[in-house]
Amino acid sequence: MLPAACAHRVVSILSQALEDCAEKKKKLEDNLALCRALLGDWKVQTPESPKPECDPAGDQVSEPSAKELEELELLNRALEKALRVRKSTLQSPLGALGAAGGEKAAEKKPATSIARTQRAPCSKESIPKTIKVTSVSKKAAFSKKFPTYMLKAPYRTDPVKAPTHQSSRAPKMTGEASTKQVRKTAPATSLCQEVFCAVAEPSGSPRSLPCEQQSSSSFGGSASGKNPVAADPENDCPGSSTESPMTQSQKAGDFLVGSTTARTFTLQEKGSLLKLPLPYRKAYTRNSRLWEKCRLCQSSSATAAVRNHFLERMQASFCSSAPALSPAEIEEEVMVLHDTHSFLSQCMESETTGHPTWEREYESLLTLEGLRDMASQCLLKLQQLHAAAESQVRLRPSDCTHSTRTSLEDCTSFRGRRCGATPLLFYSSVQELREMTSLKLQVAMLHQQIHIQKVLVAELLPVVESRLPQDESPSHLYRAVYTQLCEGGERFPVLVNDELPD
Amino acid sequence: MRSGRAGTLPAAIGALCRALPLESRPAPETFRLAKFDRPQASLRRVLSPKPAEISTQIRFVKSVLWYHGYGRPEFYQLPSDGSVGSRELLLAFSWLLNRINLLEQLLIANRVKIGDETSVCTCEGNLPNTWKGRTEIVPELCLKSEVDVRYLQWLNGRLRFQWRNLHVDHQEQCKLFHKIHSYTVGCHIDHTIGHFSVTEVDLVRQPHSYKQLLQLLESETSRLEAFLEWKQLEPVYWHWMVMNQPNIKDVKSEERELPDEREFCAAVRTITEAVELKLSDLKYHCAHKKNGMHGPYRLVFKDKTVISELRMQEAKLGRQLKRLQEECRHKLDQIAEGLAGVICIPPTKR
């Protein structure tokens, strides 16, 4: 057992250390959670994601898809009915289409069986329906896309003229028009989540890329040649102007088609396609430019003169008995001394290594002498600072608080901070970063351990020294103190009774 | 007051106010009114942004100024109810503004954090000072009774465990950082950086959360602009402050008051100011020369990379700790010899 007085200090130090650790851990955990969320799957946001009322990814997405699936069920049933009615009249021209569609279906990985049954009869017929589905199951925000499809609607929603239309357009279907048409359905697919993705045929898949861009708010894809930006009205109808890059984006589209089934976004796959929102980009460039300007802006000599003049007049009005060095200056000097000390000790260590030749030895001797002189200068300085600090405490006005850590500026953290771009620390590999982090932590931990050790020594050794000689069974206390002070709490000594059996 | 300058003083003060952080921004009128000794809360607020009662604020402001070496006795004698003293506050504020480049410090301190920040320095100054401060400030724990030494052992063990946890978490964070950075290579508009930070990726993912960041950035930008404006107009403010300074036994200033000698005194003043500037330049160079003495050694220092420096620090601290432990071992061995009938066998060294 330890007396309360000495134990108090030790306990409070250890508790403080624990609290600090817990604080750091908490901060770290928040950051880690965010990182993990960013690296996981980003659920593709619903089209209104640019709007402020949208929830963070994943929250809203599950509900609409369930609702959508229900609606799609109903619509599919209606579709099938209609298809059965039309089958007989439109069998021949669409048979080719159906075959083509079937082929395409075979090539493509279909998402669900619903999509397949929908496709099998004829893709043509499904087109007007999908547009309707679009209008029904889409949220209000997509109404802005609706007009574009309305424009094309007359071509497709008129089943009476269908035979002539379709026969004339059937050859076109395989050409560009097909891409256009199916392209128009592709937004429907991307919007109606995985159910319609099968309709996004390879030829139409390029379209899914811009759609995905639209639906996934601020993801900018350079594939389409455009950079849609969150909440940017100019992104209303990328489809209408993306006809030319279609072929180019074919590859990207194919790539995306493979993942459209998952309908999620991962940073790993598409991270390099991301683009920052335009307002942010502008603000960022303006901001960094201004910081540079601030860094380069120097006071003119006239300004400096006036400032100094003011300062000196103020100085003249100061109390003459005020100490020469302010607490801030004392601290600054202490920091400088500290740096000098670590620097000197490093030099000293490097000089005391083996010397092969007499020249080298002589050189190191001279260096050590120089270091010794510098060290004695530093010691002198330290004494002066000590005296200054004491006079500070003496002369301090009564209502100044003792703590020198004013919240206005935390001087240690301001050391070396200047205007301008934030300094960059480059790392070239994960190992480097990890090593640096672990070393930093080790150093901090060692600092703390050394400090705790000093406190423990100061508090516990006297107790042991005073108590043990008289104590009946010293082993507990002795072993406990031994392990704390000498082994860092990791190993115990063994106490053996030195009594020879008689 | 020269007529040409009169118009730009409000502009200067306006720029000064706009460059201050939003929550502690005084109205420009405050400055003009402060000349007349009145209670002025807003100037105080600049220096102690945390809302608190008046006497605490005043105490805080006085501590800050004492810390930086402000020595006007009239200031420290101000009453703690804030009833008078706006003029002294104005003087103190201007002095601080001048002395420590208060505006710049505030801008830097309140800078919006966009990137993944880390620090490299392992300033020991941070740790022991705060430790010492805390053991004094920590209120008396209710340890009326004795404490079992095993409680200390338990606390220590918990601490070691926490450190290990922290270590693992940090390693995980490194891994995640690396992943995020490498996945977003080539996306950033700033090519020296090249990739996004965690905040920026989150910005893209949740655009609604970036509105706040955008606002902060924009307000920082406007403060920077105001700061640049202030730098242009500064001399006007300082001239005005010099006029406002209490009469000091300064021969030149008295001469300045006489209109018929004004030109002569203006010339004298410019000359003395230029000389002052030259002298302070010289002092500055001298100080730097002193550092230059360490020049040849310093070069070696700079060659080392961050990691090797950290390794050296770690080794040094490890040795220091071992040394302390050895000392304790000696002492405890001595104590053990004093114990009758017991031999202490230290644990085997692994």
Side-chain angles (χ1 to χ4, degrees), chain A residues 86-276:
Chain A
R86 290 217 195 117
K87 234 185 198 169
S88 50
T89 47
L90 301 168
Q91 192 66 32
S92 41
L94 291 173
L97 265 172
E103 273 172 24
K104 289 179 186 171
E107 288 164 16
K108 204 195 154 317
K109 307 165 212 162
T112 63
S113 51
I114 300 175
R116 241 198 227 134
T117 51
Q118 191 193 15
R119 271 247 263 83
C122 68
S123 49
K124 239 342 196 10
E125 293 307 315
S126 61
I127 291 168
K129 300 301 172 193
T130 56
I131 291 182
K132 280 205 205 127
V133 168
T134 311
S135 58
V136 165
S137 63
K138 278 320 113 211
K139 315 279 192 304
F142 254 97
S143 56
K144 58 186 176 191
K145 296 186 184 53
F146 198 65
T148 54
Y149 309 135
M150 288 302 277
L151 287 171
K152 308 286 180 193
Y155 292 106
R156 281 167 284 165
T157 48
D158 200 332
V160 176
K161 298 186 216 156
T164 43
H165 264 282
Q166 297 190 356
S167 52
S168 61
R169 290 175 76 241
K172 272 200 227 161
M173 276 299 286
T174 52
E176 251 198 25
S178 72
T179 59
K180 217 198 277 186
Q181 281 229 321
V182 189
R183 207 195 308 145
K184 287 297 177 274
T185 66
T189 69
S190 63
L191 299 171
C192 297
Q193 308 261 323
E194 36 274 52
V195 183
F196 282 108
C197 70
V199 186
E201 318 193 10
S203 52
S205 56
R207 180 70 174 120
S208 67
L209 171 56
C211 305
E212 203 175 285
Q213 290 171 348
Q214 278 188 318
S215 60
S216 52
S217 58
S218 44
F219 302 158
S222 40
S224 70
K226 249 188 177 241
N227 295 323
V229 158
D232 203 332
E234 72 192 56
N235 275 345
D236 240 28
C237 325
S240 42
S241 50
T242 44
E243 292 179 36
S244 42
M246 261 324 121
T247 43
Q248 300 152 350
S249 51
Q250 201 106 18
K251 280 197 191 134
D254 286 338
F255 169 74
L256 280 164
V257 156
S259 50
T260 40
T261 51
R263 247 22 190 107
T264 52
F265 172 91
T266 53
L267 201 60
Q268 185 169 13
E269 294 167 15
K270 302 162 205 164
S272 48
L273 299 175
L274 292 184
K275 265 220 157 54
L276 293 167

Side-chain angles (χ1 to χ4, degrees), chain A residues 8-9 11-13 15-17 19, chain B residues 130-142:
Chain A
H8 160 68
R9 193 172 163 216
V11 167
S12 65
I13 272 211
S15 320
Q16 271 306 328
E19 271 177 34
Chain B
T130 47
W131 289 111
K132 279 188 204 128
R134 278 193 190 145
T135 49
E136 289 166 30
I137 295 172
V138 158
E140 293 289 315
L141 299 176
C142 304

Side-chain angles (χ1 to χ4, degrees), chain A residues 1-2 4 11 13 16-17 20 25 28 31 36 38-39 42 218 268 271-272 274 280-281 284 286-287 290-291 294 297 299 301 303 306-307 310-314 317-319 326-329 331 338 343 346 349 374 392 396-397 399 401 405 407 409 411-412 414 417 420 427 430 434-435 437-443 445 447-448 450-451 457 461 465 478 482-489 492-498, chain B residues 59-60 62-63 66-72 95 98-99 101 105 108-109 111 114 118-119 124 126-127 129 131 134-135 138 143 145-148 152-153 156 160 163 167 169-174 176 178 181 183 187 189 193 196 198 200-201 204-205 214 217 220-221 225 227-228 231 234-235 238-239 242 245 248 276-277 294 297 301 311-314 319-320 325 328-329 331-332 335-336 341-347:
Chain A
M1 300 300 286
L2 296 168
V11 167
I13 272 211
Q16 271 306 328
D20 275 352
K25 190 182 168 71
L28 198 53
N31 204 339
R36 284 194 200 108
L38 292 177
L39 282 170
W42 302 14
S218 44
Q268 185 169 13
S272 48
L274 292 184
Y280 174 80
R281 265 184 283 157
Y284 180 89
R286 248 177 80 209
N287 189 283
L290 279 171
W291 274 110
C294 287
C297 117
S299 285
S301 58
T303 317
V306 166
R307 280 172 69 134
F310 172 78
L311 275 184
E312 291 190 2
R313 283 190 60 158
M314 290 298 292
S317 77
F318 282 3
C319 193
S326 68
E329 285 168 331
E331 275 191 18
H338 184 79
F343 182 62
Q346 255 178 12
E349 277 187 32
M374 289 207 308
Q392 274 287 334
R396 193 177 65 227
D399 47 354
T401 55
R405 288 270 169 267
S407 62
E409 60 281 305
C411 304
T412 50
F414 270 18
R417 275 215 230 169
Y427 69 94
V430 187
R434 288 170 79 152
E435 197 180 346
T437 316
S438 95
L439 282 173
K440 242 179 31 178
L441 269 182
Q442 272 289 100
V443 169
M445 191 179 78
H447 274 313
Q448 195 189 71
I450 288 177
H451 181 73
V457 166
L461 264 187
E465 281 170 352
Y478 185 82
Y482 191 100
T483 182
Q484 273 313 117
L485 292 181
C486 307
E487 303 295 330
F492 281 86
V494 175
L495 290 176
V496 176
N497 258 329
D498 190 21
Chain B
R59 221 176 317 132
F60 181 78
K62 285 184 183 173
S63 318
W66 177 255
Y67 180 74
H68 287 283
Y70 189 66
R72 262 183 81 79
W95 182 86
N98 195 330
R99 191 88 167 79
N101 292 317
Q105 301 289 343
I108 293 170
R111 198 162 172 174
I114 296 176
T118 181
S119 71
E124 192 184 4
N126 269 330
L127 281 175
N129 276 346
W131 289 111
R134 278 193 190 145
T135 49
V138 158
L143 290 178
S145 57
E146 294 188 330
V147 172
D148 195 336
L152 295 181
Q153 287 179 306
N156 203 55
R160 274 187 16 243
W163 272 107
H167 187 258
D169 283 346
H170 267 289
Q171 293 287 303
E172 166 104 18
Q173 191 187 54
C174 289
L176 294 177
H178 179 71
H181 293 174
Y183 293 164
C187 294
I189 35 177
I193 300 177
F196 286 174
V198 168
E200 285 166 336
V201 176
V204 173
R205 182 179 78 127
L214 197 62
L217 254 188
E220 183 178 284
T221 311
E225 283 170 348
F227 175 73
L228 288 169
K231 288 302 249 187
E234 246 193 298
W238 295 116
H239 274 110
V242 166
Q245 269 174 323
I248 296 159
E276 277 170 7
L277 197 61
H294 308 303
Y297 305 118
F301 212 64
R311 276 210 204 101
M312 285 194 295
Q313 262 214 323
E314 191 208 358
R319 281 197 296 271
Q320 192 182 357
Q325 289 178 338
C328 292
R329 211 167 280 142
K331 291 219 180 97
L332 283 169
I335 294 175
V342 178
I343 301 177
C344 173
I345 304 174

Side-chain angles (χ1 to χ4, degrees), chain B residues 31-47:
Chain B
F31 285 81
R32 192 182 65 82
L33 293 172
K35 275 197 308 187
F36 316 106
D37 217 14
R38 284 191 208 156
Q40 273 295 358
S42 37
L43 274 184
R44 261 205 319 271
R45 257 211 313 279
V46 175
L47 296 169

Side-chain angles (χ1 to χ4, degrees), chain B residues 27-278:
Chain B
E29 266 300 288
T30 315
F31 285 81
R32 192 182 65 82
L33 293 172
K35 275 197 308 187
F36 316 106
D37 217 14
R38 284 191 208 156
Q40 273 295 358
S42 37
L43 274 184
R44 261 205 319 271
R45 257 211 313 279
V46 175
L47 296 169
S48 66
K50 278 195 287 219
E53 54 158 4
I54 292 183
S55 57
T56 327
Q57 271 190 349
I58 291 187
R59 221 176 317 132
F60 181 78
V61 171
K62 285 184 183 173
S63 318
V64 171
L65 282 157
W66 177 255
Y67 180 74
H68 287 283
Y70 189 66
R72 262 183 81 79
E74 293 87 337
F75 171 76
Y76 293 105
Q77 290 157 7
L78 284 179
S80 52
D81 57 356
S83 52
V84 289
S86 64
R87 191 164 171 206
E88 286 298 324
L89 268 180
L90 177 63
L91 285 174
F93 170 72
S94 306
W95 182 86
L96 202 61
L97 185 64
N98 195 330
R99 191 88 167 79
I100 62 168
N101 292 317
L102 182 66
L103 265 186
E104 268 182 69
Q105 301 289 343
L106 284 174
L107 280 171
I108 293 170
N110 295 327
R111 198 162 172 174
V112 176
K113 293 190 178 31
I114 296 176
D116 298 319
E117 300 212 333
T118 181
S119 71
V120 178
C121 76
T122 50
C123 289
E124 192 184 4
N126 269 330
L127 281 175
N129 276 346
T130 47
W131 289 111
K132 279 188 204 128
R134 278 193 190 145
T135 49
E136 289 166 30
I137 295 172
V138 158
E140 293 289 315
L141 299 176
C142 304
L143 290 178
K144 298 296 176 199
S145 57
E146 294 188 330
V147 172
D148 195 336
V149 69
R150 282 172 293 186
Y151 179 60
L152 295 181
Q153 287 179 306
W154 178 70
L155 280 179
N156 203 55
R158 263 186 69 198
L159 187 63
R160 274 187 16 243
F161 182 66
Q162 292 274 46
W163 272 107
R164 247 180 274 152
N165 268 343
L166 206 61
H167 187 258
V168 166
D169 283 346
H170 267 289
Q171 293 287 303
E172 166 104 18
Q173 191 187 54
C174 289
K175 216 172 46 164
L176 294 177
F177 269 166
H178 179 71
K179 275 198 183 149
I180 291 181
H181 293 174
S182 56
Y183 293 164
T184 55
V185 164
C187 294
H188 208 281
I189 35 177
D190 186 344
H191 289 296
T192 45
I193 300 177
H195 62 72
F196 286 174
S197 72
V198 168
T199 318
E200 285 166 336
V201 176
D202 199 33
L203 210 114
V204 173
R205 182 179 78 127
Q206 299 182 50
H208 64 277
S209 70
Y210 92 96
K211 286 200 167 58
Q212 197 199 19
L213 187 65
L214 197 62
Q215 273 170 14
L216 288 172
L217 254 188
E218 283 174 350
S219 93
E220 183 178 284
T221 311
S222 54
R223 264 185 289 136
L224 287 170
E225 283 170 348
F227 175 73
L228 288 169
E229 219 183 294
W230 157 256
K231 288 302 249 187
Q232 297 291 320
L233 300 170
E234 246 193 298
V236 182
Y237 180 81
W238 295 116
H239 274 110
W240 178 68
M241 279 308 300
V242 166
M243 297 297 162
N244 278 333
Q245 269 174 323
N247 283 333
I248 296 159
K249 284 102 191 136
D250 188 333
V251 177
K252 285 193 205 72
S253 64
E254 279 165 1
E255 284 185 347
R256 225 173 277 131
E257 245 86 272
L258 301 170
D260 47 358
E261 294 189 35
R262 213 198 304 180
E263 280 175 20
F264 175 71
C265 294
V268 167
R269 191 165 33 137
T270 13
I271 293 171
T272 40
E273 281 169 356
V275 170
E276 277 170 7
L277 197 61
K278 237 197 287 180

